[in-house]
Amino acid sequence: QKVVKPFKSKLYGEDPENNPLVLGVLSAEDQVKAYRECSVYFSLGSMPASLTYNFLEAMSTGCPTITWGPMLGNYKGTQWDGSYEQCDLIENGKNGFCSDNLNEMQDFIRILLKDKVLAKEISKNARQTIKDNFSKEIVKRKWKTFLDSLI
């Protein structure tokens, strides 16, 4: 909340606590539409996954994505404790932004909101990152390599 407080933002998802800020769960079609309409997606990950679908979905739709860095993500005693992966896919300023500094994350949001050319380039590169790492062919090859290593 501290990072996005200065900006107009929307929060979607399940809300067992009935928080008035949470707008509820979207259908798959509405999720894609929401990602495409966003100027920036701020991803924090969620338990139990250290690399979440929402992070990958935002990048795959071309929504410029910001996530917290390895220091916060891998900090001992946190939910990931050494297995946080989101920053492994991010090259700052190329396909998204990753930082452990809350003020810097706000600066990244400001940059993306102001510099539409950079935002468009990051969007294009984010989509390519997903294709390069998670296409059906890539995943099949990774599974085959893993399964072959067990034999």
Side-chain angles (χ1 to χ4, degrees):
Q1 288 179 343
K2 289 179 184 178
V3 172
V4 298
K5 188 174 183 174
F7 309 100
K8 181 181 174 188
S9 62
K10 295 178 182 177
L11 178 61
Y12 294 102
E14 292 183 12
D15 181 25
E17 298 176 14
N18 296 317
N19 183 327
L21 299 176
V22 180
L23 301 173
V25 177
L26 298 175
S27 69
E29 296 82 20
D30 287 341
Q31 283 178 344
V32 171
K33 184 179 176 187
Y35 286 129
R36 289 187 175 150
E37 290 175 353
C38 287
S39 300
V40 178
Y41 183 76
F42 181 55
S43 175
L44 291 175
S46 64
M47 283 296 280
S50 58
L51 184 62
T52 61
Y53 286 131
N54 61 352
F55 171 78
L56 299 174
E57 289 166 349
M59 288 183 73
S60 71
T61 60
C63 185
T65 303
I66 297 172
T67 189
W68 60 5
M71 187 175 78
L72 289 176
N74 286 324
Y75 188 73
K76 293 283 184 203
T78 64
Q79 54 191 351
W80 291 284
D81 198 7
S83 66
Y84 184 72
E85 299 176 274
Q86 292 189 175
C87 271
D88 294 347
L89 288 178
I90 298 291
E91 292 181 56
N92 271 350
K94 181 178 179 189
N95 64 351
F97 288 101
C98 178
S99 177
D100 286 307
N101 182 294
L102 300 180
N103 292 326
E104 188 174 55
M105 285 189 238
Q106 287 180 340
D107 290 342
F108 291 149
I109 293 171
R110 285 184 188 94
I111 288 167
L112 288 167
L113 293 174
K114 288 180 183 176
D115 190 338
K116 300 300 181 194
V117 173
L118 176 62
K120 189 173 184 174
E121 184 67 18
I122 285 174
S123 173
K124 182 183 84 168
N125 292 334
R127 288 180 54 93
Q128 190 61 49
T129 297
I130 296 302
K131 288 178 185 177
D132 291 346
N133 289 280
F134 300 100
S135 70
K136 187 176 184 179
E137 296 76 27
I138 298 289
V139 172
K140 281 171 55 176
R141 187 171 51 231
K142 287 179 180 180
W143 270 109
K144 181 176 181 349
T145 300
F146 171 72
L147 293 172
D148 287 347
S149 74
L150 299 175
I151 297 175

